[in-house]
Amino acid sequence: MDLGIFNEFWDGVHPHHLPLLNLIDSGASNQWNLTISLQRLNAIVEKNPEQSVQEGVIALLAYHDWRSHLVACLVILRLPSSARSILLDHFWKRLSLGSWVCPQILVALSLVDRNFEMKAEKILHDGLAMYAQSLSVTDEQKSQGSSRASTPSERKTKAAIEFLLKNTLNDTPDSDSGGLIASRWKKRLLKLMELKSVAFYEIFISW
């Protein structure tokens, strides 16, 4: 896979994406943990021109694996608003294609897209425009986090949106805990930003 400048985020030894999944720094390892993962992303963004970062985020979202989608969520929060604008459509398209980390994608979008509420309401009303014809069965399964048929991404997406728009958890047996995941990830993300305990968020630009 070619993920541009973000190829170096993974060192081939440690799963640096895993701490981003729950945003918990257990401190169990001094070789890979949340702080190290965020520092690695920060270093990549800092040393590369803005255009290269944008191209890298697009590559992360275009790839079918949920691990790269998760990394993209953290990177867009690190960028100034001027650099985010051209990336928003790529995040919404990834939602349409399906991703196992759709709750995390939606949390990130809720913080950076001024039109989030309108777009999210449209998904609740009209559903996702699934581009299944552009994905092979294997690719679609990988993007949704499973090697077999998994809970439809649309139901998980809608459950996450219900929480983000209405602050209510309406998870059902077939929504794969989308609302709960969005709730916990947003809470932990905002706590990190509030405390500024991780250098990655020190220049986070809010509205």
Side-chain angles (χ1 to χ4, degrees):
M1 62 178 176
D2 183 9
L3 301 177
I5 61 173
F6 293 103
N7 280 324
E8 65 183 85
F9 175 71
W10 290 273
D11 58 14
V13 178
H14 303 107
H16 292 296
H17 61 278
L18 276 183
L20 307 180
L21 190 59
N22 296 306
L23 296 180
I24 296 176
D25 203 344
S26 65
S29 171
N30 60 4
Q31 295 181 312
W32 64 276
N33 53 51
L34 180 60
T35 298
I36 291 173
S37 295
L38 295 177
Q39 288 173 341
R40 290 178 70 86
L41 283 180
N42 190 50
I44 293 171
V45 173
E46 282 290 319
K47 72 180 183 181
N48 285 283
E50 187 174 283
Q51 182 176 347
S52 295
V53 175
Q54 291 170 322
E55 291 171 352
V57 171
I58 292 171
L60 288 169
L61 293 169
Y63 191 55
H64 55 68
D65 197 306
W66 63 267
R67 296 162 182 81
S68 63
H69 310 161
L70 186 60
V71 171
C73 290
L74 275 296
V75 175
I76 197 171
L77 296 174
R78 172 67 173 74
L79 300 178
S81 57
S82 58
R84 297 171 183 163
S85 58
I86 70 167
L87 299 174
L88 296 179
D89 284 347
H90 293 275
F91 278 86
W92 288 105
K93 181 178 180 181
R94 172 39 64 189
L95 281 175
S96 295
L97 290 169
S99 176
W100 189 57
V101 292
C102 54
Q104 289 90 336
I105 293 174
L106 284 161
V107 170
L109 284 170
S110 73
L111 295 172
V112 301
D113 191 342
R114 296 179 186 273
N115 296 314
F116 174 80
E117 184 173 345
M118 176 190 70
K119 295 174 183 177
E121 287 280 8
K122 184 172 178 60
I123 290 175
L124 288 181
H125 185 266
D126 299 331
L128 286 168
M130 301 299 288
Y131 297 98
Q133 68 274 15
S134 66
L135 294 173
S136 70
V137 173
T138 300
D139 285 351
E140 186 173 7
Q141 290 170 350
K142 283 184 179 179
S143 74
Q144 297 188 30
S146 175
S147 60
R148 57 182 175 80
S150 58
T151 302
S153 181
E154 182 165 342
R155 296 172 189 170
K156 189 174 184 177
T157 297
K158 287 184 174 181
I161 289 174
E162 287 279 351
F163 167 74
L164 292 169
L165 291 184
K166 304 173 183 178
N167 200 33
T168 58
L169 292 176
N170 290 319
D171 282 322
T172 60
D174 60 359
S175 66
D176 199 18
S177 301
L180 182 61
I181 293 169
S183 170
R184 290 177 174 174
W185 206 75
K186 182 176 182 179
K187 181 179 180 180
R188 291 165 185 163
L189 178 64
L190 293 179
K191 189 66 174 179
L192 285 173
M193 293 175 179
E194 176 187 346
L195 296 176
K196 297 186 184 297
S197 58
V198 181
F200 186 83
Y201 294 111
E202 288 182 354
I203 65 166
F204 176 80
I205 302 173
S206 59
W207 300 123

